[in-house]
Amino acid sequence: MAQNERSLVIIKPDAVQRGLIGEILARYEQRGLRIAALKLELITREIAERHYGEHKDKPFFAGLVEFITSAPSVLMVLEGPEAIRIIRDTNGDTKPAQALPGTIRADFGLTIDRNLVHASDSIESAADEVANFFGDGSIIDYTRAIDSWINGD
Ligand code: CMP
């Protein structure tokens, strides 16, 4: 069986304001991913700056932090075999104009500044990102009755 992975996923303020939480969450659930943690939160500036730290010298950094802290986001930890890759494929290219039809960013987005979702890009960054948003004990380790039908084990 493929390795089980965790990813930190954000449904960003634009998607929350547009009433797309359910639509986006359904895509991850339908794909078979398991929700290990989930909350609605107004991200603080401190946590946002840490989350996007790798972009701190980029010209879009200030605007990115301003946007992500401007209204509530949905934060979640998703699990599944090869979850990092699968979630990034489900989200589509960072630039919605280059995302494939059927992906979240292509189906609901137009511009990189309002691209609806974020997901971790590696197992290592997922561990850091999950720790930035979720404290010890807030991630639930459980199995669903359907997991064997999804994963084949
Ligand atoms: P995200 O997956 O959250 O990771 C970094 C974010 O920076 C990215 O999605 C975009 O929303 C945002 N961003 C804004 N402008 C740019 C840009 N020019 N290049 C890359 N990312 C950008």
Side-chain angles (χ1 to χ4, degrees), residues 87-102:
I87 294 165
R88 291 181 72 81
D89 286 350
T90 302
N91 289 353
D93 195 284
T94 309
K95 294 179 178 158
Q98 292 174 16
L100 293 173

Side-chain angles (χ1 to χ4, degrees), residues 12 51-52 55 60 64 94 105 112-113 115 117-119:
K12 298 184 189 180
H51 175 69
Y52 282 127
H55 298 300
F60 59 83
L64 181 59
T94 309
R105 285 165 171 161
I112 195 167
D113 297 323
N115 65 358
V117 282
H118 166 87

Side-chain angles (χ1 to χ4, degrees), residues 4-23:
N4 224 34
E5 296 174 353
R6 272 184 183 164
S7 181
L8 184 279
V9 175
I10 305 176
I11 301 179
K12 298 184 189 180
D14 52 333
V16 174
Q17 291 297 316
R18 291 172 58 192
L20 293 172
I21 296 173
E23 181 83 41

Side-chain angles (χ1 to χ4, degrees), residues 16-94:
V16 174
Q17 291 297 316
R18 291 172 58 192
L20 293 172
I21 296 173
E23 181 83 41
I24 291 171
L25 208 46
R27 292 188 176 214
Y28 299 132
E29 280 198 293
Q30 286 165 0
R31 190 89 202 241
L33 295 156
R34 185 172 53 227
I35 299 167
L38 180 67
K39 61 182 176 182
L40 179 78
E41 194 169 278
L42 185 58
I43 299 174
T44 64
R45 179 163 287 272
E46 183 189 358
I47 287 179
E49 287 179 351
R50 198 178 309 137
H51 175 69
Y52 282 127
E54 68 178 291
H55 298 300
K56 68 176 184 305
D57 298 324
K58 308 261 178 63
F60 59 83
F61 180 72
L64 181 59
V65 170
E66 197 63 41
F67 162 66
I68 205 77
T69 58
S70 65
S73 295
V74 172
L75 300 153
M76 69 189 99
V77 180
L78 297 180
E79 288 181 344
E82 299 188 69
I84 301 279
R85 171 70 188 271
I86 282 173
I87 294 165
R88 291 181 72 81
D89 286 350
T90 302
N91 289 353
D93 195 284
T94 309

